[in-house]
Amino acid sequence: SLDVPAELNTAAVRVEADGSWTAEVNEDAASYVILSKSRGTGEADVNLRIMKNPYNQERTATVTFRSSGVEAVVTVRQAAARDGQDMKTAEFRIGTYNIRMSNMDKDEDNVWSARKPRLLSSIKDNAFDIFGVQEVSTQAQKDLKEALGKDYTINFFSPYYQNGQGDKAMGILFRTSRFTMSDWHLFWVSENPDILSVNDTGSKGDFSRGGCCAVFTHKETGVRFFMMCSHGCLNVEPNNKFAHVYIDIEKKYNNDGLPSFFVGDLNAVPSSEAVVTYKTWWNDAFSSADVRDGAPNTYNGWSSQQGKTRIDYIWFRNDAKIMAYHCNNTLYDELYASDHFPVSADVKISK
């Protein structure tokens, strides 16, 4: 067993085995105990990086080494932090990112094969714990699962198919080590939310719009919250007309009154009628954050480092506090990762 202080520290474990071996941290501790290697052959030194304990309670992790049917368990006991926060408080980063359809651009810099590495770097650099995505093509769904599936549980919803499976999707991704998900639901933004429809009609084109939602549990603290993600109507009239549907859906599927988040590219500027409707139910993280950084606007149109309009949102209500808001306008080799910036908020929820 290892006894370590509350501060960030590293401990070394010596492995001796006749053949191949694996090492695994118990699921509840995987977010704060990180192994330098999780498999090997023969003798090796494995470093355990133990992140700072922010809580006023001791926490315990186990690392299980296995080789040829034999197990050896290392128990890590980390001291409580002096003046630390209550273990019943969950802190995490929530976000939203319109990654742009992978088949929309033909120029050399922004074809998907060229842009994908920038997009994946952007997602990793933003360190989302849980986030919504929009405009995810079939190819991008495959690529995101391949690149991020080790760390994130990924759920997609295409409003163009009644079963929700297919192209032009949105979705919610969350760190498997930090959360569990329950009560996953799909809906369409219309007066009949359970039925597939072409509901976004007008001069800008005809589209199917919908959303997805679920309840999430923060593993370390047991804190539960509701989250909904959507890609709002592009045409102004249906966007305004159906804004109430999101409130109706939240009331329907969050009847326990959990802390609630609604994220997405909502195709609505802050002065729009749709946003006025959302404000009757939720608070805007942009306006409520103690700290705000990055670009003031979220849609960059491939050309504006400050963004052209703010149409991507993180809305919240009930017992959640927004510590910081970020609209990350980082360029990668002087190029954009998407025509939208990733948006995130650092959140604190207490039981």
Side-chain angles (χ1 to χ4, degrees), residues 32 52 75 139 242 267 277 288:
Y32 68 87
K52 179 180 177 180
T75 300
Q139 182 61 51
F242 296 129
N267 281 316
T277 299
S288 305

Side-chain angles (χ1 to χ4, degrees), residues 264-308:
D265 168 9
L266 302 182
N267 281 316
V269 297
S271 60
S272 68
E273 183 181 325
V275 167
V276 171
T277 299
Y278 303 145
K279 284 182 176 179
T280 65
W281 193 247
W282 286 286
N283 302 298
D284 185 356
F286 175 88
S287 305
S288 305
D290 292 340
V291 176
R292 190 165 66 226
D293 59 41
N297 296 304
T298 64
Y299 172 70
N300 63 60
W302 298 117
S303 63
S304 174
Q305 269 253 271
Q306 294 303 299
K308 295 183 174 183

Side-chain angles (χ1 to χ4, degrees), residues 21-36:
W21 54 267
T22 62
E24 182 179 21
V25 181
N26 67 295
E27 188 175 25
D28 290 346
S31 63
Y32 68 87
V33 177
I34 299 150
L35 307 181
S36 61

